[in-house]
Amino acid sequence: MTDKRPTLTLKPKAKPARTAASQGGGKPRPAAAPAQAEASKPAQATAPKPSYRPSAERAAARSAPPAPRDTARLRPSHEVKVAPQRDYRPDLKADSLALSLLGAANAVARVRGGSALPQALSAVFGAYEVTPQARGAIQDIAYRTMRQLGRCETLLGLMTSKAPEPPMLDGLLCAALALLDPPQGGQPPYEAFTVVDQAVTAAASHPDFAHAKAMVNAVLRRFLRERETLVEQALKQPLARWNYPQWWIDSTRSAYPQDWEAILTAGNAHPPLTLRVNRRRLDVAAYLEMLRAAGFDATQVGPSAVRLAQAVNVSQIPGFHEGLVSVQDAGAQLAAPLLDLADGMRVLDACAAPGGKSGHILETAEVELTSVDADPARLARVRDNLGRLGLAATLLAAEAQEGGWWDGRAFDRILADVPCTASGIVRRHPDIRWLRRKSDTLQLATLSSKILDNLWQMLLPNGKLLFVTCSLWPQESEAQAAAFAARHDALRLDAPGQLLPASGAGQDHDGLFYALFQKKAA
């Protein structure tokens, strides 16, 4: 018997519009080649519970708001809600845009379920057994969609009567809209008719929403017909204009009344690929010459920092596998020099994963380094990164706010890169804005204060502790630093303080915060 599922309806315009069936169109061309992969994203910590409720935000664009998607709804007794088949392997060509769109939609749905985007993508790659080319295209589309999710959801709210279900269908429509509606000044990576054709093909290939392929076609074709009007209407909503939850917009405006718009805009930009040159092995000028000889355009943006003009996969970076360079933001490269390291020191890198700062510490001086992280899986990444560099440290899987792992030997230097909302690195991790809740700021600040207090007792008199956070919120940065100094009568030394996301000649960094403290001698 044919499975007839209910489908959502298209929301009509004020005046009747032509139906999708009346629209002409030439024969679809073959799918374009997948977009280039977004290179070398740093790993994220375990994802927090999601705060983003797309249908709640959409309500502002509808005259009759639907029930929130995360609110239980009564269903007819004969209707059985089947669990989504996220691991279903579609019968699509490995190099097709349809497969890339479906993979990105799968990743977006997983993020909405609470997974961090890197973990979501890893699950998709494993389920689909995709080629390297397809991996790059899926990743590129997923990151594009995360950066434009608020705008895409608002546009869908203007064109549909309720939130598309299951979540993968919603993710597919958002991924297609992200390709059809690039940020201002951006060029569409694919022809519009190719995106529509391949999105319909993707929908038809999945048993959970094959019945909705006509709706996918109608929604996307309507967007192309009415783009100017729909975008103008959508941009009246802050969610669509800025692509952040309202609480995030409000928090940024409150903290930085003069710079909030520039900060939000910077967080939506595609991040650069910045490298740290291992100056134990060669100097920056020599490495720039190596890049030029290999056909790469690059610029020095810090003492050890080199920014590539075009992001590439790490496997293509000259000297990467040999340990000559590491991928690390220019702002994060300030940590090791601020520690004022010297050979023979005993140093602690707390909350060390994925190991970029540990590697920089060992490149800077011959020290006895202990790297601690609460997540054993992420600690393995520290081991891998140090192994690639030919360096070694004592690695401990432990909670930095606890003391049972400490052997009682005090440290000369401590790097405390504490947990935070990561609001300063959102351009690299666009899923963070949709996963975080406003209450996370206070909870993480409380945890960070416990970590700092615990680590302080492990520091030698006259030793230095560097407090680092990748947050823009004062509760996690400056207010935290001031409260810590007051609690422990710590001497505060010169440090950059709050760095706002910046790009340009001589600088290019994420939004990090630095505060340096020295323990007074007894």
Side-chain angles (χ1 to χ4, degrees):
M1 183 170 63
T2 304
D3 177 19
K4 294 185 178 180
R5 299 187 186 180
T7 60
L8 58 111
T9 59
L10 300 184
K11 190 171 182 180
K13 294 176 60 179
K15 294 191 295 183
R18 292 180 296 170
T19 64
S22 68
Q23 298 304 304
K27 183 177 179 180
R29 299 179 186 173
Q36 182 177 353
E38 180 151 335
S40 306
K41 299 282 187 308
Q44 277 181 266
T46 302
K49 295 179 181 178
S51 64
Y52 184 48
R53 297 291 180 258
S55 59
E57 298 287 2
R58 290 177 176 180
R62 297 189 176 117
S63 58
R69 192 182 308 178
D70 55 338
T71 301
R73 295 190 292 272
L74 295 178
R75 305 174 66 85
S77 59
H78 65 274
E79 185 179 351
V80 178
K81 188 172 185 179
V82 181
Q85 302 178 67
R86 288 181 180 169
D87 291 338
Y88 175 79
R89 185 177 178 181
D91 184 19
L92 295 169
K93 292 182 179 179
D95 61 349
S96 68
L97 178 57
L99 180 65
S100 300
L101 280 166
L102 198 64
N106 194 329
V108 170
R110 291 174 187 270
V111 170
R112 285 177 174 154
S115 294
L117 185 53
Q119 284 69 45
L121 286 168
S122 179
V124 172
F125 298 155
Y128 287 12
E129 299 180 10
V130 293
T131 64
Q133 183 185 24
R135 287 168 66 101
I138 291 170
Q139 180 168 287
D140 176 77
I141 296 171
Y143 274 88
R144 286 174 182 267
T145 306
M146 285 291 110
R147 290 192 178 96
Q148 298 171 239
L149 191 59
R151 180 164 171 159
C152 294
E153 288 285 5
T154 305
L155 287 169
L156 279 182
L158 294 171
M159 293 188 288
T160 60
S161 60
K162 65 176 182 179
E165 293 183 351
M168 267 189 71
L169 175 58
D170 190 290
L172 176 62
L173 285 164
C174 285
L177 285 171
L179 296 180
L180 294 172
D181 184 37
Q184 187 173 7
Q187 292 297 318
Y190 304 92
E191 295 287 348
F193 60 82
T194 299
V195 175
V196 175
D197 172 71
Q198 293 293 287
V200 173
T201 300
S205 73
H206 201 288
D208 285 356
F209 43 88
H211 61 281
K213 64 179 183 179
M215 182 274 293
V216 171
N217 181 69
V219 167
L220 298 181
R221 287 185 179 275
R222 175 178 173 182
F223 173 74
L224 293 177
R225 292 196 309 271
E226 305 172 19
R227 181 201 302 261
E228 186 175 343
T229 300
L230 287 168
V231 169
E232 181 181 3
Q233 189 173 353
L235 291 180
K236 295 177 182 178
Q237 303 298 326
L239 174 67
R241 181 181 179 189
W242 298 110
N243 284 297
Y244 295 87
Q246 188 63 50
W247 74 265
W248 190 298
I249 298 171
D250 295 341
S251 296
T252 307
R253 180 184 292 177
S254 175
Y256 306 99
Q258 304 300 320
D259 301 311
W260 69 275
E261 292 182 326
I263 292 170
L264 294 178
T265 300
N268 285 328
H270 191 96
L273 178 56
T274 305
L275 307 175
R276 183 189 74 242
V277 178
N278 183 352
R279 293 198 288 170
R280 276 183 176 269
R281 305 276 299 277
L282 78 171
D283 59 30
V284 175
Y287 185 68
L288 285 171
E289 183 58 36
M290 180 186 296
L291 288 174
R292 280 191 286 270
F296 289 86
D297 185 15
T299 306
Q300 183 171 357
V301 292
S304 302
V306 170
R307 181 185 61 207
L308 296 185
Q310 180 65 48
V312 296
N313 189 280
V314 292
S315 63
Q316 299 175 262
I317 299 173
F320 178 81
H321 292 297
E322 295 77 18
L324 299 183
V325 292
S326 299
V327 176
Q328 188 179 39
D329 177 72
Q333 294 186 34
L334 299 177
L338 283 168
L339 284 169
D340 187 26
L341 299 165
D343 291 350
M345 284 184 172
R346 180 169 159 81
V347 180
L348 171 65
D349 182 3
C351 313
K357 295 182 180 69
S358 286
H360 199 187
I361 287 171
L362 292 169
E363 290 173 4
T364 303
E366 295 279 359
V367 301
E368 180 186 348
L369 177 65
T370 299
S371 297
V372 174
D373 199 88
D375 187 344
R378 284 170 54 79
L379 195 65
R381 293 198 61 196
V382 180
R383 180 180 295 105
D384 292 343
N385 281 324
L386 294 183
R388 180 181 58 81
L389 295 169
L391 303 170
T394 299
L395 306 183
L396 297 175
E399 300 280 355
Q401 72 272 24
E402 299 175 355
W405 53 270
W406 182 42
D407 63 7
R409 297 169 56 208
F411 296 95
D412 297 283
R413 299 288 187 268
I414 295 178
L415 171 60
D417 190 353
V418 299
C420 68
T421 55
S423 52
I425 58 172
V426 71
R427 65 177 182 170
R428 298 188 185 279
H429 300 288
D431 53 314
I432 288 173
R433 69 190 82 184
W434 311 119
L435 290 167
R436 292 296 185 197
R437 299 170 300 183
K438 186 175 183 180
S439 59
D440 290 338
T441 303
L442 177 59
Q443 294 174 4
L444 288 165
T446 301
L447 172 60
S448 297
S449 67
K450 293 178 181 178
I451 292 174
L452 291 171
D453 291 345
N454 186 49
L455 297 179
W456 188 248
Q457 65 179 331
M458 303 177 186
L459 186 66
L460 283 168
N462 291 320
K464 296 178 182 179
L465 181 148
L466 181 62
F467 163 45
V468 186
T469 179
C470 53
S471 176
L472 295 172
W473 315 138
Q475 303 96 308
E476 297 180 284
S477 52
E478 181 54 46
Q480 179 83 276
F484 173 80
R487 286 198 306 273
H488 297 285
D489 190 28
L491 177 63
R492 190 164 178 179
L493 305 177
D494 287 341
Q498 184 69 63
L499 299 175
L500 299 180
S503 179
Q507 63 175 359
D508 196 326
H509 53 71
D510 293 331
L512 282 77
F513 175 85
Y514 287 98
L516 182 63
F517 303 97
Q518 186 170 34
K519 180 181 280 190
K520 297 176 182 178

